[in-house]
Amino acid sequence: MPNEKSPEVTTSIPKLNQGNDLKTEAFIVGKGSQELANEGFAQLSEEEREIVSSLQPKTAMLVGIVGAAKGFRFLLDQEKQVIGRSQDSDIFLDDITVSRQHGLIERTLTGFDVVDTNSLNGIYHNHEILTERTALYSGDELQIGKYKFTFFAEIISFKQK
């Protein structure tokens, strides 16, 4: 049974780099999210894998993998980024199912949180309606209106011995 005081686990995804050395990419993921991180990373194109692999410290990315969001990428590199249908939003989602100021993603001391700002249709986090501020971990899925995203935080890369 996992240690309840430490809600994070690490998962590794092997990958060959250009020198044919095995490189392991380790995500810090939430408790119970290891499968989601693996599935989400596996669904990325090679270009998206490279982009996600090169995230800088204190950054993250929302990647649209399926549906209306497929191909969308939003770099999360600010303290707070507003999600909404308003063209002033940091993450602009042009659909009537998205409120003008639907929600926001905030950087915290420990990572990133998602908050629903009283939107009409809500935000779904790993298939459950968001009812309070919630921490995000690599592999988490967010649905905002008809848009579905996978969240990826900075990856810690190292060579396997």
Side-chain angles (χ1 to χ4, degrees):
M1 184 167 192
N3 180 350
E4 293 300 315
K5 292 186 180 191
S6 178
E8 297 178 345
V9 295
T10 302
T11 184
S12 299
I13 300 169
K15 175 182 167 186
L16 288 177
N17 65 17
Q18 290 179 348
N20 291 329
D21 295 330
L22 188 60
K23 179 180 178 184
T24 300
E25 296 174 340
F27 292 91
I28 303 301
V29 298
K31 187 168 77 175
S33 297
Q34 184 171 358
E35 289 178 25
L36 285 175
N38 288 336
E39 289 172 18
F41 195 79
Q43 292 180 30
L44 297 176
S45 69
E46 188 60 37
E47 178 185 9
E48 290 168 331
R49 287 180 190 178
E50 291 299 319
I51 291 169
V52 168
S53 296
S54 65
L55 286 172
Q56 298 298 307
K58 297 183 180 180
T59 65
M61 184 170 283
L62 285 181
V63 179
I65 296 178
V66 297
K70 188 169 178 75
F72 286 26
R73 294 188 300 248
F74 295 101
L75 179 63
L76 306 173
D77 62 351
Q78 300 172 27
E79 295 300 315
K80 176 170 67 170
Q81 291 181 264
V82 176
I83 304 165
R85 193 178 73 232
S86 168
Q87 291 186 357
D88 294 332
S89 298
D90 300 302
I91 300 173
F92 172 62
L93 301 176
D94 189 18
D95 187 69
I96 195 70
T97 61
V98 178
S99 298
R100 285 183 185 90
Q101 292 186 347
H102 202 96
L104 56 93
I105 295 178
E106 288 186 310
R107 185 169 41 215
T108 67
L109 294 175
T110 58
F112 289 86
D113 286 355
V114 62
V115 179
D116 186 328
T117 53
N118 298 316
S119 66
L120 181 62
N121 293 319
I123 295 175
Y124 287 83
H125 174 258
N126 294 334
H127 310 287
E128 293 183 16
I129 191 78
L130 199 67
T131 58
E132 61 187 14
R133 172 182 292 273
T134 301
L136 291 171
Y137 298 96
S138 288
D140 282 358
E141 296 177 359
L142 290 180
Q143 181 172 346
I144 302 159
K146 67 179 186 176
Y147 299 94
K148 292 182 181 181
F149 297 96
T150 301
F151 174 85
F152 293 97
E154 171 196 4
I155 298 173
I156 304 163
S157 296
F158 57 92
K159 289 202 177 199
Q160 205 174 40
K161 293 183 179 183

